[in-house]
Amino acid sequence: MEPSLVSGITSCAPALYFLICIGATIGIWIEAGIIPAFVSYGLVWLKPAFFYAGACLFTAMIAALSTSGGAMGTVGVALMVIAHGIGADLYVTSGALISGAVMGQLISPINDMLPLALAQGARLNETIKLFMVRLLPPFLLVEVLYLVYGYFVGFPQASINSGLIIDAIRQHFFISPVIFLPVILLFLLIARGTPTVPVLMINLIVSSLFAYVFQGAGLAEIFRAMSHGYIPPADQEIMQIFARGGITPFGSIMQLTMMASIWAALLKKIGALDAIFVKLISLPLLQKKLGLQSHLLSVFISICTCAVIPAIIISGELLKGKYQEEGRPIEELYRNVIASGIIVSPLIPWTNIYFYNAGILGMNLIPAFPYFWFALVYFAWLIILGLRDKVLGHGKHGISEKTALEE
């Protein structure tokens, strides 16, 4: 079992690098005034009634251009601070942010889960097209739900702090559109296909220069922000909302991520996951329902292994032969297992995605589960389509032409 333990640690190494970079990025983006600038402009532009819908949509756009983790660790932090300022419900805000991040990740061409599908012969463009067909209707419905909630339910607190927060920000930071240049550079590098971790390292260097030039931060303050997070002035209570970021606060998240990967490797080694698969496909309800089998298997393995990547890899290995037997394209298999795993994992309190989101937002996310509407709506949609299992026709390119949605 020892080699399995070592492989579990190795498999989570990229995730650990990413967490280190995101923790440092949040800290230095606050020190450089980037996140405070987002907050300052957002408090002026975002109207309270449209805040939840806007937060979901904006996070989805950023995640589609980068990654869900990058979106949550940057604009997600800024939007949570804005939520404090306008008196928005933090649990509803968390649900909207995670909904947007998940949606953006699934349609992003640099989704960190897609290489798992591409390695098995799936085509990038066709896989994203299949995601889009399933994703857009539930996402539009969720946007309407957040809009209606924000317009009719309102906020539990009066939005009286926004002006005070803007004044405090402008007293402590130089705020100008030029501050967003590191963000623009970040997205340009990602758009060129540069790997995420090197992009984040370049971003740390550029953002540190901006902190030195525009905010007057010294070398000690820059390294402290990246290591321990931004430390606001002790006599400014309002500025305490920016006490975030840093590598050190992500230490427990990294430990949990590593343990989850080890656990997944051990479960695979002893054959527990294969046993789950045999029991699952033998259920009468799931007979001849390959799509539904795919969704539920990915969810169960996510629950058992505490992580999404093992769920995608193992589900793909177990189901690939069945898809080939039925003449279904490999893109359809990975569309099903990736979507199910990513959608449900934020709702499982022991997965690495839950740890990551909770660490970034700095709060217990279990009370936010009822407001993670995209997961609830989309997974219900997947189950309905899986029960119908009407994907029968295959075009000359190997992609299903008649889906249950089109029918």
Side-chain angles (χ1 to χ4, degrees):
M1 295 175 69
E2 184 177 347
S4 297
L5 185 148
V6 174
S7 69
I9 296 175
T10 303
S11 66
C12 74
L16 299 182
Y17 301 151
F18 186 75
L19 286 170
I20 290 171
C21 291
I22 287 294
T25 296
I26 295 173
I28 195 60
W29 273 24
I30 297 175
E31 188 72 48
I34 296 171
I35 289 179
F38 269 119
V39 173
S40 179
Y41 290 125
L43 288 171
V44 175
W45 294 338
L46 281 175
K47 303 301 179 183
F50 305 105
F51 175 73
Y52 300 126
C56 181
L57 180 61
F58 190 46
T59 308
M61 293 169 57
I62 299 300
L65 294 172
S66 55
T67 63
S68 63
M72 288 293 292
T74 52
V75 298
V77 173
L79 288 166
M80 280 297 289
V81 175
I82 294 174
H84 280 280
I86 63 178
D89 187 308
L90 298 183
Y91 294 124
V92 181
T93 303
S94 300
L97 293 175
I98 297 172
S99 293
V102 167
M103 168 63 183
Q105 180 179 19
L106 289 174
I107 64 173
S108 172
I110 56 172
N111 178 354
D112 50 0
M113 306 297 172
L114 285 178
L116 303 177
L118 302 181
Q120 298 298 320
R123 291 162 292 178
L124 177 63
N125 291 338
E126 303 298 346
T127 305
I128 293 176
K129 287 179 184 178
L130 288 177
F131 274 123
M132 293 291 288
V133 171
R134 288 276 179 92
L135 285 167
L136 285 180
F139 185 72
L140 293 175
L141 174 59
V142 167
E143 277 290 293
V144 172
L145 291 176
Y146 283 124
L147 186 63
V148 171
Y149 187 91
Y151 188 82
F152 288 103
V153 177
F155 297 158
Q157 304 173 10
S159 55
I160 59 175
N161 296 326
S162 57
L164 296 176
I165 293 176
I166 293 173
D167 291 340
I169 289 174
R170 294 185 180 274
Q171 287 177 6
H172 289 85
F173 295 99
F174 170 77
I175 302 298
S176 168
V178 73
I179 293 295
F180 296 122
L181 287 178
V183 183
I184 297 172
L185 175 63
L186 175 72
F187 291 135
L188 288 176
L189 289 174
I190 290 175
R192 288 177 57 87
T194 309
T196 303
V197 172
V199 168
L200 290 174
M201 295 299 293
I202 294 171
N203 172 71
L204 290 176
I205 296 172
V206 176
S207 299
S208 297
L209 291 174
F210 271 61
Y212 175 78
V213 173
F214 293 103
Q215 311 301 342
L219 192 62
E221 294 172 306
I222 290 172
F223 278 103
R224 183 180 60 192
M226 288 192 286
S227 178
H228 301 291
Y230 176 74
I231 301 177
D235 58 342
Q236 293 290 330
E237 182 177 354
I238 292 180
M239 297 299 292
Q240 298 303 315
I241 59 178
F242 291 109
R244 298 169 178 266
I247 298 171
T248 303
F250 277 81
S252 59
I253 309 296
M254 289 186 278
Q255 292 173 22
L256 291 168
T257 299
M258 185 168 63
M259 293 304 296
S261 298
I262 293 172
W263 176 247
L266 292 177
L267 285 179
K268 176 63 177 174
K269 176 66 176 179
I270 65 176
L273 300 179
D274 298 273
I276 291 174
F277 173 67
V278 171
K279 291 291 184 182
L280 185 65
I281 64 175
S282 65
L283 294 175
L285 178 65
L286 302 183
Q287 294 299 313
K288 299 182 180 180
K289 303 290 185 183
L290 188 54
L292 188 56
Q293 290 177 14
S294 306
H295 299 315
L296 294 182
L297 181 63
S298 181
V299 170
F300 280 123
I301 295 180
S302 295
I303 292 173
C304 293
T305 63
C306 314
V308 177
I309 291 179
I312 296 170
I313 294 175
I314 296 168
S315 299
E317 291 175 353
L318 295 175
L319 290 169
K320 187 176 181 180
K322 293 177 71 66
Y323 272 77
Q324 290 174 339
E325 289 175 8
E326 294 195 11
R328 299 193 181 194
I330 193 70
E331 290 88 354
E332 185 181 329
L333 164 62
Y334 281 96
R335 185 271 308 274
N336 291 338
V337 297
I338 290 175
S340 302
I342 291 178
I343 283 290
V344 174
S345 287
L347 293 171
I348 304 171
W350 53 83
T351 62
N352 50 6
I353 291 182
Y354 175 88
F355 299 148
Y356 178 75
N357 290 330
I360 284 180
L361 300 180
M363 59 188 295
N364 173 21
L365 293 179
I366 293 178
F369 286 175
Y371 305 106
F372 186 13
W373 291 334
F374 185 59
L376 302 176
V377 171
Y378 185 58
F379 191 68
W381 181 237
L382 291 181
I383 296 299
I384 293 171
L385 295 177
L387 286 170
R388 295 181 64 189
D389 209 5
K390 293 285 187 177
V391 187
L392 302 175
H394 302 289
K396 62 182 180 179
H397 299 294
I399 301 301
S400 302
E401 293 178 342
K402 284 186 175 293
T403 65
L405 171 63
E406 290 168 342
E407 292 182 357

